[in-house]
Amino acid sequence: MAQNTPMMNQYLEIKAQHQDAFLFFRLGDFYEMFFEDAKLAAQELEITLTGRGQGEDRIPMCGVPYHSADQYMSRLIEKGYKVALCEQVEDPKQAKGVVKREVVKLLTPGTMMNGNVIKEKENNYLVALSYFEDKTYGLARTDLTTGECAATLIVDLEDVIHDIASSGTKELVVATDLDQSVLKRIQEKHPLTISYEDVTELAYDYIHLCDNLHSDKLQLSFARLLQYLVRTQKRSLNHLQKVTVYQSDSFMKMDTHTKRNLELTESLREKKKAGSLLSIVDQTVTAMGGRLVKNWIERPLIDQTAIEKRLEQVTSFLNAYFEREELRDELRQVYDLERLAGRIAYGSVNARELVQLKRSLEKVPLLKEQIRKMAPESVGRWFGQEEHVQELIDLLNRSLVEDPPISVTEGGMIRPGFHDELDTYRDASKNGKQWIAELEQKERLETGVKSLKIGFNKVFGYYIEVTRANLHLLPEGRYERKQTLTNAERYITPELKDKEALILEAEEKMEQLEYDLFVNVREEAKSYLEQIQALAHSISEIDVLAGFATVSEQLHYVKPTFSTKREIAIIDGRHPVVETVIEKGQYVANDVLMNQGREMLLITGPNMAGKSTYMRQLALLAVMAQIGCYVPATSAELPIFDQVFTRIGAADDLASGQSTFMVEMLETKYALTKATQNSLILLDEIGRGTSTYDGMALAQAIIEYIHNTVRAKTLFSTHYHELTQLDKSLEDLKNVHVSAVEENGNVVFLHKVVDGQADRSYGIYVAELAELPLQVTQRAETLLKQFEESTASVRGPLIQPPQAEQQLSLFIEDEHPKKSEEKQPSVSITGQEEKVLKKLVKKDVLHMTPIEAIQFINELQRLLK
Ligand code: ADP
Ligand code: MG
């Protein structure tokens, strides 16, 4: 194999240090990629793969022009990759041998400051995860675009995964020796970019951020995060805020499945905001508020005082329509202060953005005044820093013009009167231009050429232009010829060139000086970061709460109250999303009453009757109440739930693409083992993913387990009517059903949930509605009748709780099955089946784990095959 060129050696050396990133290697006007990088990039970016060298030694290569590199990098980052940007760090003309090159920036999904990856109304979190010997995990997170930093300690890996997934983390930083199986489990639930950092010493410059971190573990977790940022970002991190410590159990816990099923922030099928709870309660008018409300929905509170404080503020806003609308009008003109603060710290803010900052800060006294009118008790909580920022406003007012350009290098930013020297240059340039304008007039008069004009271009500078037709009017030798065009000649004079030199020099100095002055202003702004961030935080809260008030008023929500006795009493509750998508006024409101004796509701009713809607409605009302929003009902009393679980029978969960029964059971296990008495469990047609008897047996076992052991508030919907008999043996379980009536042989869903069990499944009527051939539905009717008659005596739950074993009707060894065998072949039972049934009856299901239940059922199935 031929020797590598020196440049290739340089490439390989740098690449070796950045193996997990695409190395964008600067070569002249291109960034080139080689080897595997090139192959993958060509595929991902749909660019042409070429090669360098000949024959066997040919190296795969592809490249992107440097001026459009941003867009390519951003596409790679969006896909979860990293990019190491390698620049030429010396002038190629000066270089001896290979030009020196260095990686100047590492771009990763969790450290981006702008581009497509950054969504206006979403946080962009980077999380560092550390594992300690005492089996706890430390999590430290930051959103680099806003400077927010937080840390927590968590014991259980499942909770770690939920924390990472629920905040939509983009990138995870871990030690190289972290157990790979941990990473694998996280990736299964929430695919993200992984990065490594082993240094966990706290950089001295940032010690002040750690005031709230009272444990070594928290400090170490944050140090890992910080070290990674320092190493990869190579620039100021001044805008990072003091790390706040949060307890993952100070929020209502919801796992990824639950959040998805409840469609909290995106719809199940389309993965869009439309159709989610967020789309209803997010009435914010600023980007910061948009991010905050999403965070709140992901993490409802469980501290009653904190919830009630939010609710009171919503009430204050609700009671003051005009002030609130005025407030929201003002808020609309407030820019994204959080992200502006981030860009100030990074030194990437431009003059136009600083003017936006100024205008936003100028709104603060007005906002404060509006709050004073509506919620005087909250003024102190939200304001207090604005006197300090007045100095910044003054500075920005004095220094910057009202409408500066985006570019910071071409002048036009600094206000006249701010800096004497700049004004002098400006005068010089202005006077010079004036002189030239006068010269044009003078020459026209003196030569009599009315069309004579003075122009400017970058190559020749200022020139006098006379058209060919008028050349004869010029006295010989009046000007010096400079350039000949088809229809005109261009001239100069020594005087003109003198003036030109003055003007150009002034302009060049002006641009440089303006840039320097601007940078000073930008630096000065850095000392106000903390105040800006505090205001940003207040403003986003105000925005979210004013939004809650707005939606609560428009959709007639009511303030929830909290029960200390674990009672639910919702009168005329509505599903916040469904009520807005169906025809106005068509939504059928429903009560939910759950207290002692009604800890569990077993919901039956025909397909499409509204069972799932009713269940989700309860969970959504709980979430809304605990984020501090009013709820859609005429009155609502709820306990504060520590956790909410939703599980959907596999057959229903088509959207997730993993509709296996095993997943259904694993998820159910999770709910059963994690839920407490203060949790809410929604089980929607659990047991559907398997055959009828299997499913029914499991459903019953699960219900009994929750009823006797977990004791969480539970809604269980089922199409197994047999289960409705359970209310006889389980004292805290009650039947409710969604009513439907028959009208002229058609079924009409009333969507009304009432006590008692549904009398039949209506499946055939739905089939009729769907216009299945008459022959099919009529035959089904006949079969149903026959089946009902034959099983009339064996209706009831499959398995009675142990104490009632003697009453078993279906599986005991008497002649009953044989009798029906003679009469109705449809329920005949073979010897082997009988054996299986006996095994099933003997089993003590109440003392099995769900996994044991699955294994057991599996065994039974095997016996039957
Ligand atoms: P089920 O789970 O019983 O099959 P769903 O809860 O999925 O039924 O509801 C089916 C449809 O019925 C919903 O998409 C909705 O349009 C409508 N619906 C449900 N509940 C109500 C209600 N309370 N008022 C009006 N329409 C409802
Ligand atoms: Mg349903």
Side-chain angles (χ1 to χ4, degrees):
M1 197 175 131
Q3 198 78 43
N4 280 329
T5 62
M7 194 202 73
M8 223 359 112
N9 282 332
Q10 184 191 39
Y11 171 86
L12 291 171
E13 223 170 83
I14 299 177
K15 176 67 197 174
Q17 290 158 24
H18 296 278
Q19 297 191 19
D20 60 350
F22 282 100
L23 185 65
F24 273 47
F25 193 72
R26 183 70 180 264
L27 267 182
D29 284 345
F30 279 82
Y31 289 108
E32 301 289 1
M33 282 162 277
F34 302 103
F35 303 105
E36 294 307 309
D37 274 9
K39 288 190 204 158
L40 189 57
Q43 212 173 38
E44 294 286 10
L45 297 172
E46 291 164 13
I47 53 181
T48 319
L49 184 68
T50 58
R52 198 178 171 90
Q54 294 302 324
E56 263 182 31
D57 294 328
R58 194 171 158 84
I59 297 168
M61 171 175 116
C62 71
V64 299
Y66 84 96
H67 55 81
S68 58
D70 272 354
Q71 135 206 2
Y72 290 106
M73 290 191 276
S74 143
R75 264 161 68 190
L76 290 172
I77 307 286
E78 241 177 304
K79 291 172 184 235
Y81 295 111
K82 304 178 199 175
V83 174
L85 199 65
C86 180
E87 292 288 1
Q88 298 173 173
V89 291
E90 67 178 343
D91 187 343
K93 284 182 214 118
Q94 315 282 314
K96 296 195 185 76
V98 187
V99 184
K100 218 170 135 206
R101 289 186 177 82
E102 265 172 28
V103 169
V104 295
K105 211 179 345 177
L106 185 65
L107 300 149
T108 70
T111 57
M112 292 297 280
M113 290 294 285
N114 46 34
N116 294 343
V117 193
I118 304 299
K119 305 271 177 297
E120 190 186 24
K121 290 199 162 191
E122 270 171 41
N123 279 108
N124 201 58
Y125 284 121
L126 170 72
V127 172
L129 173 69
S130 306
Y131 182 63
F132 301 103
E133 272 182 356
D134 63 357
K135 299 203 164 68
T136 53
Y137 294 88
L139 263 83
R141 68 171 62 249
T142 186
D143 177 344
L144 215 51
T145 64
T146 66
E148 169 197 342
C149 293
T152 189
L153 296 175
I154 300 181
V155 179
D156 194 328
L157 180 59
E158 285 297 330
D159 294 336
V160 170
I161 296 172
H162 290 152
D163 190 285
I164 290 172
S166 69
S167 47
T169 305
K170 295 281 176 54
E171 181 177 353
L172 188 68
V173 183
V174 298
T176 41
D177 62 359
L178 182 78
D179 190 349
Q180 284 298 314
S181 67
V182 169
L183 285 183
K184 194 165 155 253
R185 285 185 59 192
I186 296 173
Q187 291 276 39
E188 273 167 12
K189 276 273 161 72
H190 181 76
L192 41 45
T193 306
I194 304 286
S195 299
Y196 295 93
E197 181 60 64
D198 287 324
V199 182
T200 51
E201 265 108 65
L202 197 57
Y204 183 76
D205 286 352
Y206 297 99
I207 278 182
H208 63 282
L209 295 178
C210 301
D211 289 356
N212 303 321
L213 303 182
H214 300 304
S215 93
D216 291 349
K217 288 190 279 183
L218 284 172
Q219 278 196 11
L220 184 144
S221 310
F222 181 64
R224 186 187 308 283
L225 180 75
L226 197 58
Q227 188 58 40
Y228 173 73
L229 289 175
V230 170
R231 183 168 60 81
T232 59
Q233 295 307 294
K234 304 180 181 190
R235 51 182 158 177
S236 154
L237 297 167
N238 279 343
H239 69 304
L240 292 187
Q241 306 175 34
K242 277 206 170 68
V243 189
T244 56
V245 179
Y246 66 96
Q247 241 65 53
S248 61
D249 54 10
S250 52
F251 301 109
M252 175 204 270
K253 274 194 210 158
M254 290 176 284
D255 52 56
T256 333
H257 266 261
T258 302
K259 285 180 178 163
R260 233 189 38 208
N261 288 331
L262 292 178
E263 308 190 293
L264 290 187
T265 57
E266 59 180 30
S267 63
L268 208 49
R269 269 153 229 279
E270 311 214 299
K271 305 251 173 281
K272 295 256 171 62
K273 179 176 168 188
S276 69
L277 177 64
L278 180 63
S279 73
I280 304 289
V281 300
D282 176 7
Q283 300 293 329
T284 57
V285 295
T286 69
M288 312 176 265
R291 289 194 295 273
L292 188 67
V293 66
K294 184 155 183 269
N295 278 344
W296 281 7
I297 290 188
E298 306 265 11
R299 297 177 172 197
L301 301 175
I302 54 173
D303 175 26
Q304 188 166 342
T305 325
I307 298 172
E308 278 171 352
K309 186 165 274 159
R310 286 188 192 169
L311 282 169
E312 275 159 30
Q313 283 156 341
V314 172
T315 308
S316 318
F317 288 155
L318 194 82
N319 292 336
Y321 175 80
F322 289 106
E323 287 86 352
R324 183 179 82 235
E325 282 308 306
E326 259 172 61
L327 174 85
R328 281 157 53 86
D329 274 343
E330 300 295 340
L331 284 175
R332 279 192 185 91
Q333 300 161 51
V334 174
Y335 287 87
D336 195 337
L337 292 179
E338 272 184 313
R339 284 191 170 154
L340 280 179
R343 286 210 282 281
I344 291 173
Y346 260 50
S348 59
V349 75
N350 61 39
R352 187 174 289 180
E353 288 168 327
L354 282 182
V355 171
Q356 290 171 350
L357 171 72
K358 182 197 75 184
R359 294 206 183 114
S360 305
L361 294 178
E362 278 171 344
K363 295 277 167 216
V364 171
L366 263 169
L367 296 176
K368 188 174 169 184
E369 200 38 48
Q370 305 284 10
I371 297 293
R372 199 191 305 284
K373 283 191 214 152
M374 286 185 280
E377 67 290 345
S378 300
V379 172
R381 238 170 71 87
W382 282 326
F383 296 96
Q385 302 272 354
E386 61 285 353
E387 285 92 25
H388 301 288
V389 298
Q390 189 56 46
E391 296 162 18
L392 176 61
I393 297 177
D394 292 343
L395 170 68
L396 295 174
N397 258 334
R398 270 184 291 123
S399 58
L400 299 178
V401 298
E402 278 308 302
D403 190 18
I406 289 176
S407 162
V408 295
T409 52
E410 289 164 25
M413 303 176 285
I414 303 291
R415 200 182 271 276
F418 179 65
H419 196 266
D420 289 347
E421 198 183 338
L422 179 65
D423 289 347
T424 320
Y425 290 134
R426 278 188 177 151
D427 282 347
S429 144
K430 205 170 126 202
N431 292 342
K433 284 181 180 157
Q434 177 72 26
W435 182 89
I436 285 174
E438 281 163 11
L439 179 71
E440 191 178 65
Q441 288 305 321
K442 192 174 117 224
E443 293 302 308
R444 277 183 192 166
L445 272 177
E446 288 186 6
T447 59
V449 182
K450 289 213 180 61
S451 64
L452 177 148
K453 64 177 187 210
I454 300 186
F456 178 83
N457 74 30
K458 281 214 163 108
V459 183
F460 297 111
Y462 285 98
Y463 53 79
I464 299 166
E465 186 173 296
V466 179
T467 54
R468 199 156 291 285
N470 290 314
L471 283 183
H472 65 277
L473 294 171
L474 290 187
E476 189 67 27
R478 184 171 179 92
Y479 310 129
E480 225 174 280
R481 176 168 304 164
K482 189 73 190 173
Q483 191 190 10
T484 305
L485 306 177
T486 348
N487 327 324
E489 290 286 345
R490 287 178 177 174
Y491 303 95
I492 54 172
T493 69
E495 272 183 305
L496 183 61
K497 285 292 123 175
D498 284 351
K499 273 292 173 217
E500 176 189 301
L502 280 178
I503 294 173
L504 292 185
E505 191 197 334
E507 279 182 351
E508 192 183 311
K509 289 217 167 107
M510 246 156 56
E511 277 170 13
Q512 183 59 44
L513 185 56
E514 279 215 44
Y515 179 74
D516 294 344
L517 290 170
F518 168 73
V519 170
N520 285 343
V521 171
R522 185 160 75 185
E523 282 299 307
E524 187 64 20
K526 276 190 190 169
S527 48
Y528 297 91
L529 283 177
E530 216 171 296
Q531 288 96 322
I532 297 173
Q533 282 165 338
L535 279 170
H537 197 257
S538 300
I539 290 173
S540 29
E541 265 191 34
I542 293 171
D543 190 14
V544 174
L545 292 166
F548 284 176
T550 303
V551 63
S552 299
E553 182 176 71
Q554 280 170 357
L555 301 179
H556 310 288
Y557 291 175
V558 66
K559 182 174 179 172
T561 55
F562 297 101
S563 158
T564 46
K565 289 183 291 187
R566 302 182 50 249
E567 293 185 351
I568 303 179
I570 293 169
I571 308 297
D572 286 338
R574 286 122 48 204
H575 188 297
V577 181
V578 175
E579 76 161 335
T580 63
V581 295
I582 63 176
E583 222 175 293
K584 208 168 166 13
Q586 290 304 297
Y587 193 85
V588 180
N590 272 307
D591 301 345
V592 187
L593 299 171
M594 295 178 85
N595 45 28
Q596 222 190 354
R598 295 174 68 93
E599 297 284 348
M600 289 185 95
L601 299 181
L602 186 73
I603 308 169
T604 43
N607 256 333
M608 292 300 288
K611 298 184 294 298
S612 302
T613 309
Y614 180 72
M615 297 172 79
R616 287 187 176 82
Q617 175 181 313
L618 174 59
L620 290 175
L621 260 63
V623 169
M624 292 171 86
Q626 288 179 238
I627 61 174
C629 185
Y630 280 23
V631 298
T634 50
S635 87
E637 182 179 21
L638 290 151
I640 290 180
F641 290 110
D642 63 350
Q643 307 175 77
V644 174
F645 300 91
T646 358
R647 293 296 176 259
I648 300 198
D652 257 11
D653 190 11
L654 298 172
S656 76
Q658 46 174 1
S659 52
T660 70
F661 184 56
M662 187 63 185
V663 172
E664 178 184 330
M665 286 298 112
L666 283 173
E667 293 296 328
T668 308
K669 174 207 115 174
Y670 185 76
L672 296 190
T673 48
K674 296 280 172 177
T676 73
Q677 214 189 357
N678 297 318
S679 307
L680 173 65
I681 304 182
L682 309 180
L683 296 175
D684 196 350
E685 312 235 11
I686 284 296
R688 254 174 92 137
T690 179
S691 68
T692 308
Y693 285 136
D694 254 10
M696 215 190 307
L698 263 171
Q700 181 175 342
I702 290 168
I703 291 172
E704 286 170 358
Y705 182 79
I706 297 176
H707 181 274
N708 298 331
T709 311
V710 182
R711 309 210 44 76
K713 288 270 182 306
T714 305
L715 297 184
F716 195 108
S717 75
T718 184
H719 62 287
Y720 299 128
H721 286 262
E722 291 82 349
L723 294 177
T724 54
Q725 299 300 316
L726 281 171
D727 67 342
K728 301 201 172 57
S729 51
L730 304 177
E731 60 177 19
D732 284 329
L733 176 134
K734 292 289 171 292
N735 287 311
V736 297
H737 70 279
V738 196
S739 53
V741 290
E742 279 180 62
E743 265 175 21
N744 312 325
N746 282 333
V747 67
V748 177
F749 301 130
L750 299 178
H751 302 307
K752 194 75 190 168
V753 179
V754 288
D755 275 5
Q757 66 202 63
D759 46 359
R760 57 193 306 183
S761 134
Y762 291 90
I764 294 169
Y765 290 101
V766 175
E768 276 172 13
L769 281 184
E771 291 176 358
L772 252 67
L774 210 56
Q775 257 176 316
V776 173
T777 46
Q778 281 173 352
R779 172 71 179 145
E781 290 256 26
T782 322
L783 287 175
L784 177 67
K785 273 210 190 76
Q786 280 177 14
F787 186 73
E788 278 174 349
E789 279 159 19
S790 75
T791 54
S793 55
V794 297
R795 268 204 167 227
L798 280 176
I799 313 157
Q800 291 292 343
Q803 72 272 19
E805 226 163 83
Q806 305 86 309
Q807 304 164 10
L808 271 180
S809 51
L810 180 57
F811 304 128
I812 42 174
E813 269 179 284
D814 63 9
E815 312 88 291
H816 178 82
K818 285 182 208 120
K819 251 200 244 158
S820 43
E821 191 179 304
E822 288 152 24
K823 224 171 60 188
Q824 284 298 338
S826 60
V827 290
S828 71
I829 281 179
T830 66
Q832 181 70 357
E833 283 168 347
E834 216 171 311
K835 216 170 103 194
V836 168
L837 290 174
K838 265 193 248 163
K839 255 177 116 76
L840 181 56
V841 171
K842 283 214 197 90
K843 197 79 183 175
D844 179 8
V845 275
L846 283 187
H847 295 93
M848 284 168 98
T849 65
I851 291 295
E852 282 167 356
I854 295 178
Q855 281 163 347
F856 179 57
I857 285 165
N858 190 26
E859 185 194 327
L860 297 187
Q861 266 187 350
R862 220 166 16 86
L863 289 174
L864 291 176
K865 275 173 190 162

